[in-house]
Amino acid sequence: MKWRGRQQSSNIEDRRGQIGGGMGGLGGSPFGRGGGGIRIPTGGRSGGGIGGVIGVIVILGIIWFATGQNPLDMLTGGASPQTQSAAPSSSSLPTSGQEDDLRDFVGVVVKETEDLWTEVFAASGERYPAPAVVLFTGQVNTACGGADARTGPFYCPGDQKVYIDLSFYDQLRDQFGAPGDFAQAYVLAHEVGHHIQNITGVLPEFNRRRQAMSETDANAYSIRIELQADCYAGVWANYAGQQNIVEQGDFEEALNAADQIGDDTLQKRMQGFAVPKTFNHGTSAQRKTWFERGYQSGNPSDCDTFSGNV
Protein backbone atom coordinates (compact mmCIF):
# COMPACT_ATOMS: atom_id res chain seq x y z
CA MET A 1 0.00 0.00 0.00
CA LYS A 2 1.16 3.52 -0.78
CA TRP A 3 0.01 4.91 2.54
CA ARG A 4 2.95 6.95 3.76
CA GLY A 5 2.53 10.71 3.65
CA ARG A 6 -1.25 10.55 3.42
CA GLN A 7 -3.64 12.34 5.77
CA GLN A 8 -4.51 10.54 9.01
CA SER A 9 -7.80 10.38 10.88
CA SER A 10 -8.32 12.64 13.87
CA ASN A 11 -10.54 9.95 15.44
CA ILE A 12 -7.72 7.86 16.90
CA GLU A 13 -7.58 7.39 20.68
CA ASP A 14 -4.10 6.24 21.61
CA ARG A 15 -4.31 4.48 24.98
CA ARG A 16 -1.17 2.41 24.47
CA GLY A 17 0.87 2.13 27.60
CA GLN A 18 -2.13 2.48 29.91
CA ILE A 19 -2.74 -0.84 31.62
CA GLY A 20 -6.48 -1.41 31.34
CA GLY A 21 -6.84 1.41 28.82
CA GLY A 22 -8.96 3.18 31.42
CA MET A 23 -12.41 4.46 30.61
CA GLY A 24 -14.75 2.83 33.13
CA GLY A 25 -18.42 2.31 32.44
CA LEU A 26 -18.27 -1.46 32.27
CA GLY A 27 -21.28 -3.66 31.83
CA GLY A 28 -23.66 -1.26 30.10
CA SER A 29 -25.81 -2.35 27.18
CA PRO A 30 -23.68 -2.53 24.06
CA PHE A 31 -26.63 -1.12 22.11
CA GLY A 32 -27.22 1.91 24.30
CA ARG A 33 -26.56 4.31 21.46
CA GLY A 34 -26.71 4.34 17.70
CA GLY A 35 -29.02 2.39 15.44
CA GLY A 36 -32.09 4.53 15.07
CA GLY A 37 -33.37 2.55 12.12
CA ILE A 38 -31.24 4.43 9.57
CA ARG A 39 -31.16 2.52 6.31
CA ILE A 40 -27.87 1.85 4.61
CA PRO A 41 -27.25 4.59 2.02
CA THR A 42 -27.10 3.14 -1.49
CA GLY A 43 -26.65 6.15 -3.73
CA GLY A 44 -30.23 6.02 -4.95
CA ARG A 45 -30.60 2.27 -5.32
CA SER A 46 -32.50 -0.05 -3.04
CA GLY A 47 -30.42 -1.66 -0.32
CA GLY A 48 -32.46 -4.84 -0.36
CA GLY A 49 -34.09 -4.16 2.99
CA ILE A 50 -30.97 -4.96 4.98
CA GLY A 51 -31.59 -2.16 7.47
CA GLY A 52 -34.10 -4.29 9.35
CA VAL A 53 -32.33 -7.64 9.25
CA ILE A 54 -31.27 -9.46 12.40
CA GLY A 55 -27.53 -9.54 13.06
CA VAL A 56 -24.97 -10.77 15.58
CA ILE A 57 -21.34 -10.78 16.76
CA VAL A 58 -19.20 -7.72 16.18
CA ILE A 59 -15.86 -9.19 17.16
CA LEU A 60 -13.56 -10.36 14.38
CA GLY A 61 -13.13 -13.51 16.44
CA ILE A 62 -9.76 -14.70 15.21
CA ILE A 63 -8.47 -15.42 18.73
CA TRP A 64 -11.68 -16.99 20.04
CA PHE A 65 -10.74 -20.55 19.12
CA ALA A 66 -7.46 -20.27 21.00
CA THR A 67 -8.89 -18.70 24.18
CA GLY A 68 -12.38 -20.16 24.49
CA GLN A 69 -13.86 -16.69 24.99
CA ASN A 70 -17.40 -16.39 23.63
CA PRO A 71 -17.70 -13.36 21.31
CA LEU A 72 -21.39 -13.01 22.22
CA ASP A 73 -20.34 -11.87 25.69
CA MET A 74 -19.21 -8.56 24.25
CA LEU A 75 -22.57 -8.01 22.57
CA THR A 76 -24.60 -8.68 25.67
CA GLY A 77 -22.45 -6.58 27.99
CA GLY A 78 -21.14 -9.55 29.97
CA ALA A 79 -17.37 -9.84 29.94
CA SER A 80 -15.85 -13.26 30.33
CA PRO A 81 -14.08 -14.03 33.62
CA GLN A 82 -10.57 -13.60 32.26
CA THR A 83 -11.28 -10.12 30.90
CA GLN A 84 -13.76 -8.68 33.36
CA SER A 85 -11.07 -7.51 35.76
CA ALA A 86 -9.49 -5.09 33.31
CA ALA A 87 -9.19 -1.91 35.33
CA PRO A 88 -8.11 1.66 34.67
CA SER A 89 -4.54 2.44 35.63
CA SER A 90 -2.05 5.22 35.17
CA SER A 91 0.78 2.69 34.90
CA SER A 92 2.56 2.87 31.58
CA LEU A 93 4.34 0.43 29.35
CA PRO A 94 6.78 1.50 26.63
CA THR A 95 5.66 1.62 23.02
CA SER A 96 8.04 0.64 20.27
CA GLY A 97 8.99 2.62 17.21
CA GLN A 98 7.46 -0.11 15.07
CA GLU A 99 4.12 0.30 16.82
CA ASP A 100 4.31 4.07 16.33
CA ASP A 101 4.69 3.36 12.62
CA LEU A 102 1.66 1.08 12.81
CA ARG A 103 -0.23 3.84 14.59
CA ASP A 104 0.35 6.12 11.61
CA PHE A 105 -0.72 3.32 9.26
CA VAL A 106 -3.95 2.83 11.20
CA GLY A 107 -4.60 6.57 11.07
CA VAL A 108 -4.30 6.59 7.29
CA VAL A 109 -6.53 3.54 6.77
CA VAL A 110 -9.19 4.90 9.12
CA LYS A 111 -9.15 8.23 7.25
CA GLU A 112 -9.73 6.40 3.98
CA THR A 113 -12.72 4.57 5.47
CA GLU A 114 -14.07 7.91 6.70
CA ASP A 115 -13.76 9.43 3.23
CA LEU A 116 -15.51 6.45 1.63
CA TRP A 117 -18.45 6.27 4.00
CA THR A 118 -18.86 10.03 4.12
CA GLU A 119 -19.35 9.96 0.35
CA VAL A 120 -21.74 7.00 0.53
CA PHE A 121 -23.90 8.58 3.23
CA ALA A 122 -23.85 12.01 1.56
CA ALA A 123 -25.24 10.47 -1.63
CA SER A 124 -28.42 9.75 0.35
CA GLY A 125 -28.44 13.08 2.16
CA GLU A 126 -27.13 11.60 5.41
CA ARG A 127 -24.18 12.49 7.64
CA TYR A 128 -21.70 9.75 8.45
CA PRO A 129 -20.90 9.55 12.18
CA ALA A 130 -17.38 8.14 12.08
CA PRO A 131 -16.31 5.79 14.87
CA ALA A 132 -13.28 6.38 17.07
CA VAL A 133 -10.51 3.79 16.84
CA VAL A 134 -8.87 2.98 20.16
CA LEU A 135 -5.30 1.67 20.30
CA PHE A 136 -4.56 -0.15 23.54
CA THR A 137 -1.90 -2.28 25.18
CA GLY A 138 -2.81 -5.58 26.81
CA GLN A 139 -6.19 -4.75 28.36
CA VAL A 140 -8.92 -2.22 27.77
CA ASN A 141 -12.24 -1.21 29.34
CA THR A 142 -15.14 -0.52 27.01
CA ALA A 143 -18.89 0.07 27.13
CA CYS A 144 -19.17 -3.63 26.19
CA GLY A 145 -17.05 -4.77 29.15
CA GLY A 146 -13.39 -5.50 29.73
CA ALA A 147 -11.29 -7.09 26.99
CA ASP A 148 -7.68 -7.95 26.32
CA ALA A 149 -5.40 -8.50 23.38
CA ARG A 150 -6.51 -12.14 23.04
CA THR A 151 -9.96 -10.98 21.97
CA GLY A 152 -8.56 -9.65 18.72
CA PRO A 153 -9.77 -6.43 17.09
CA PHE A 154 -13.43 -5.71 17.83
CA TYR A 155 -16.15 -3.11 17.54
CA CYS A 156 -18.23 -2.10 20.56
CA PRO A 157 -21.70 -0.77 19.65
CA GLY A 158 -22.18 0.73 23.12
CA ASP A 159 -19.56 3.43 22.58
CA GLN A 160 -19.32 3.11 18.78
CA LYS A 161 -15.57 2.50 18.86
CA VAL A 162 -13.20 0.04 17.23
CA TYR A 163 -10.55 -1.42 19.56
CA ILE A 164 -7.22 -2.94 18.57
CA ASP A 165 -4.00 -3.92 20.30
CA LEU A 166 -1.42 -3.42 17.57
CA SER A 167 0.41 -6.58 18.63
CA PHE A 168 -2.45 -8.41 16.91
CA TYR A 169 -0.80 -7.69 13.60
CA ASP A 170 2.16 -9.83 14.67
CA GLN A 171 -0.26 -12.69 15.30
CA LEU A 172 -1.98 -12.10 11.98
CA ARG A 173 1.36 -12.42 10.22
CA ASP A 174 3.12 -15.10 12.28
CA GLN A 175 0.37 -17.28 13.74
CA PHE A 176 -2.28 -17.03 11.04
CA GLY A 177 -0.11 -16.72 7.94
CA ALA A 178 -1.61 -13.44 6.72
CA PRO A 179 1.22 -10.92 6.27
CA GLY A 180 1.09 -7.58 4.50
CA ASP A 181 -0.20 -4.08 5.07
CA PHE A 182 -3.32 -4.62 2.97
CA ALA A 183 -4.23 -7.63 5.09
CA GLN A 184 -3.93 -5.34 8.11
CA ALA A 185 -6.09 -2.73 6.40
CA TYR A 186 -8.72 -5.38 5.62
CA VAL A 187 -9.08 -6.11 9.35
CA LEU A 188 -9.74 -2.44 10.13
CA ALA A 189 -12.16 -2.00 7.24
CA HIS A 190 -14.05 -5.10 8.42
CA GLU A 191 -14.51 -3.64 11.91
CA VAL A 192 -15.65 -0.32 10.46
CA GLY A 193 -18.15 -2.41 8.50
CA HIS A 194 -19.65 -3.46 11.84
CA HIS A 195 -20.01 0.22 12.71
CA ILE A 196 -21.99 0.70 9.51
CA GLN A 197 -24.23 -2.18 10.56
CA ASN A 198 -24.72 -0.60 13.96
CA ILE A 199 -25.73 2.85 12.76
CA THR A 200 -27.99 1.45 10.05
CA GLY A 201 -29.94 -0.57 12.61
CA VAL A 202 -28.80 -4.13 11.83
CA LEU A 203 -27.02 -4.78 15.12
CA PRO A 204 -29.58 -3.04 17.37
CA GLU A 205 -32.33 -5.09 15.78
CA PHE A 206 -30.49 -8.28 16.65
CA ASN A 207 -30.03 -7.16 20.23
CA ARG A 208 -33.79 -6.64 20.45
CA ARG A 209 -34.66 -10.08 19.08
CA ARG A 210 -31.78 -12.26 20.19
CA GLN A 211 -33.44 -13.66 23.30
CA ALA A 212 -35.93 -15.51 21.13
CA MET A 213 -33.27 -17.07 18.91
CA SER A 214 -31.72 -20.50 19.30
CA GLU A 215 -27.95 -20.88 19.31
CA THR A 216 -28.15 -22.39 15.84
CA ASP A 217 -30.13 -19.42 14.50
CA ALA A 218 -27.78 -16.96 16.21
CA ASN A 219 -24.77 -18.62 14.59
CA ALA A 220 -26.45 -18.58 11.19
CA TYR A 221 -27.19 -14.85 11.38
CA SER A 222 -23.75 -14.22 12.78
CA ILE A 223 -22.25 -15.62 9.60
CA ARG A 224 -24.36 -13.29 7.49
CA ILE A 225 -23.30 -10.33 9.63
CA GLU A 226 -19.62 -11.18 9.33
CA LEU A 227 -19.82 -11.77 5.59
CA GLN A 228 -21.52 -8.42 5.09
CA ALA A 229 -18.69 -6.75 7.02
CA ASP A 230 -16.24 -8.57 4.74
CA CYS A 231 -18.14 -7.24 1.73
CA TYR A 232 -18.01 -3.71 3.14
CA ALA A 233 -14.26 -4.17 3.57
CA GLY A 234 -14.14 -5.11 -0.11
CA VAL A 235 -16.03 -1.91 -0.97
CA TRP A 236 -13.34 -0.01 0.92
CA ALA A 237 -10.62 -1.88 -1.02
CA ASN A 238 -12.28 -0.77 -4.26
CA TYR A 239 -12.28 2.82 -3.00
CA ALA A 240 -8.62 2.55 -2.00
CA GLY A 241 -7.82 1.50 -5.54
CA GLN A 242 -9.56 4.61 -6.86
CA GLN A 243 -7.38 6.69 -4.52
CA ASN A 244 -4.26 5.13 -6.07
CA ILE A 245 -2.92 3.64 -2.85
CA VAL A 246 -3.22 -0.01 -3.87
CA GLU A 247 -0.11 -1.75 -5.14
CA GLN A 248 0.39 -5.02 -6.98
CA GLY A 249 -0.25 -7.94 -4.65
CA ASP A 250 -2.36 -5.98 -2.15
CA PHE A 251 -5.66 -7.53 -3.16
CA GLU A 252 -4.13 -11.00 -2.87
CA GLU A 253 -2.93 -10.16 0.66
CA ALA A 254 -6.49 -9.36 1.73
CA LEU A 255 -7.88 -12.49 0.05
CA ASN A 256 -5.29 -14.59 1.84
CA ALA A 257 -6.25 -13.00 5.17
CA ALA A 258 -9.92 -13.79 4.53
CA ASP A 259 -8.92 -17.35 3.70
CA GLN A 260 -6.82 -17.79 6.85
CA ILE A 261 -9.54 -16.59 9.24
CA GLY A 262 -12.43 -18.68 7.94
CA ASP A 263 -14.14 -20.79 10.61
CA ASP A 264 -13.21 -24.06 8.91
CA THR A 265 -9.56 -23.11 8.51
CA LEU A 266 -9.26 -21.80 12.07
CA GLN A 267 -10.90 -24.84 13.64
CA LYS A 268 -8.75 -27.25 11.66
CA ARG A 269 -5.66 -25.33 12.71
CA MET A 270 -6.63 -25.19 16.39
CA GLN A 271 -8.21 -28.62 16.93
CA GLY A 272 -7.50 -30.65 13.81
CA PHE A 273 -11.09 -30.79 12.55
CA ALA A 274 -14.02 -28.49 11.77
CA VAL A 275 -17.53 -28.52 13.27
CA PRO A 276 -19.78 -26.67 10.80
CA LYS A 277 -22.71 -26.24 13.20
CA THR A 278 -20.50 -24.07 15.41
CA PHE A 279 -19.41 -21.73 12.60
CA ASN A 280 -20.32 -18.10 13.27
CA HIS A 281 -18.05 -16.10 10.95
CA GLY A 282 -18.21 -18.04 7.69
CA THR A 283 -15.92 -20.46 5.90
CA SER A 284 -12.76 -19.34 4.16
CA ALA A 285 -14.48 -19.66 0.79
CA GLN A 286 -17.44 -17.55 1.95
CA ARG A 287 -15.25 -14.81 3.40
CA LYS A 288 -13.16 -14.60 0.24
CA THR A 289 -16.26 -14.56 -1.96
CA TRP A 290 -17.95 -11.69 -0.15
CA PHE A 291 -14.79 -9.61 0.18
CA GLU A 292 -14.21 -10.03 -3.54
CA ARG A 293 -17.83 -9.14 -4.32
CA GLY A 294 -17.47 -5.83 -2.51
CA TYR A 295 -14.14 -5.20 -4.17
CA GLN A 296 -15.44 -5.87 -7.67
CA SER A 297 -18.64 -3.88 -7.19
CA GLY A 298 -17.58 -0.98 -5.00
CA ASN A 299 -21.27 -0.58 -4.10
CA PRO A 300 -22.52 -1.27 -0.54
CA SER A 301 -25.95 -2.17 -1.88
CA ASP A 302 -24.41 -5.30 -3.39
CA CYS A 303 -23.49 -6.49 0.12
CA ASP A 304 -26.90 -7.92 1.02
CA THR A 305 -25.93 -11.19 2.69
CA PHE A 306 -29.41 -11.66 4.11
CA SER A 307 -31.23 -12.67 0.93
CA GLY A 308 -30.78 -16.24 -0.23
CA ASN A 309 -27.79 -18.46 0.34
CA VAL A 310 -24.35 -17.20 1.32
Side-chain angles (χ1 to χ4, degrees):
M1 283 181 64
K2 295 181 286 187
W3 63 270
R4 295 187 184 276
R6 298 185 68 86
Q7 185 178 358
Q8 298 182 30
S9 170
S10 60
N11 292 313
I12 305 295
E13 294 183 20
D14 195 344
R15 302 187 201 167
R16 291 176 300 158
Q18 298 179 11
I19 300 176
M23 79 163 266
L26 297 179
S29 169
F31 294 94
R33 296 188 304 174
I38 304 172
R39 300 181 70 84
I40 182 72
T42 59
R45 298 204 320 156
S46 169
I50 62 177
V53 180
I54 302 171
V56 68
I57 300 185
V58 294
I59 299 171
L60 183 60
I62 289 177
I63 310 302
W64 177 48
F65 293 108
T67 65
Q69 179 176 345
N70 186 353
L72 285 173
D73 287 339
M74 297 296 291
L75 275 183
T76 56
S80 62
Q82 68 264 35
T83 62
Q84 198 167 16
S85 61
S89 172
S90 59
S91 300
S92 294
L93 298 172
T95 57
S96 68
Q98 182 182 13
E99 282 209 351
D100 287 339
D101 202 41
L102 279 175
R103 187 262 178 232
D104 294 342
F105 169 78
V106 168
V108 170
V109 174
V110 173
K111 180 63 169 64
E112 296 295 331
T113 67
E114 291 169 350
D115 291 346
L116 162 65
W117 291 109
T118 294
E119 289 185 12
V120 171
F121 274 61
S124 292
E126 301 281 351
R127 183 186 68 84
Y128 172 55
V133 176
V134 179
L135 311 181
F136 70 95
T137 303
Q139 294 181 326
V140 67
N141 288 331
T142 81
C144 297
D148 62 31
R150 294 173 298 175
T151 306
F154 63 94
Y155 171 73
C156 174
D159 52 27
Q160 298 190 13
K161 295 180 180 181
V162 173
Y163 292 84
I164 182 170
D165 184 321
L166 295 178
S167 66
F168 166 78
Y169 284 140
D170 293 332
Q171 293 176 296
L172 187 65
R173 178 190 65 240
D174 299 334
Q175 185 176 352
F176 298 101
D181 50 11
F182 211 70
Q184 296 170 347
Y186 155 67
V187 170
L188 283 173
H190 173 100
E191 297 305 329
V192 171
H194 286 313
H195 176 65
I196 301 302
Q197 293 170 325
N198 187 37
I199 62 179
T200 56
V202 175
L203 297 181
E205 181 69 5
F206 166 73
N207 195 51
R208 186 176 69 84
R209 300 188 184 186
R210 179 173 175 254
Q211 297 304 316
M213 297 176 69
S214 67
E215 182 178 356
T216 298
D217 287 342
N219 282 340
Y221 276 107
S222 170
I223 289 173
R224 294 177 185 269
I225 284 287
E226 294 299 328
L227 295 180
Q228 184 178 64
D230 281 336
C231 187
Y232 286 162
V235 171
W236 171 82
N238 176 285
Y239 179 81
Q242 296 177 38
Q243 305 309 305
N244 196 33
I245 64 174
V246 177
E247 297 180 300
Q248 185 174 1
D250 281 347
F251 176 66
E252 288 74 18
E253 288 179 2
L255 274 185
N256 175 59
D259 182 60
Q260 296 300 325
I261 61 178
D263 283 329
D264 52 342
T265 299
L266 282 174
Q267 289 192 3
K268 289 176 183 177
R269 179 183 293 123
M270 297 298 179
Q271 61 191 22
F273 57 92
V275 184
K277 69 179 182 180
T278 66
F279 292 173
N280 54 31
H281 282 69
T283 65
S284 293
Q286 288 173 320
R287 301 198 73 165
K288 290 167 62 178
T289 294
W290 282 95
F291 175 82
E292 188 166 15
R293 179 175 299 190
Y295 177 78
Q296 295 295 339
S297 167
N299 190 339
S301 66
D302 291 328
C303 294
D304 181 5
T305 58
F306 303 104
S307 299
N309 297 324
V310 292

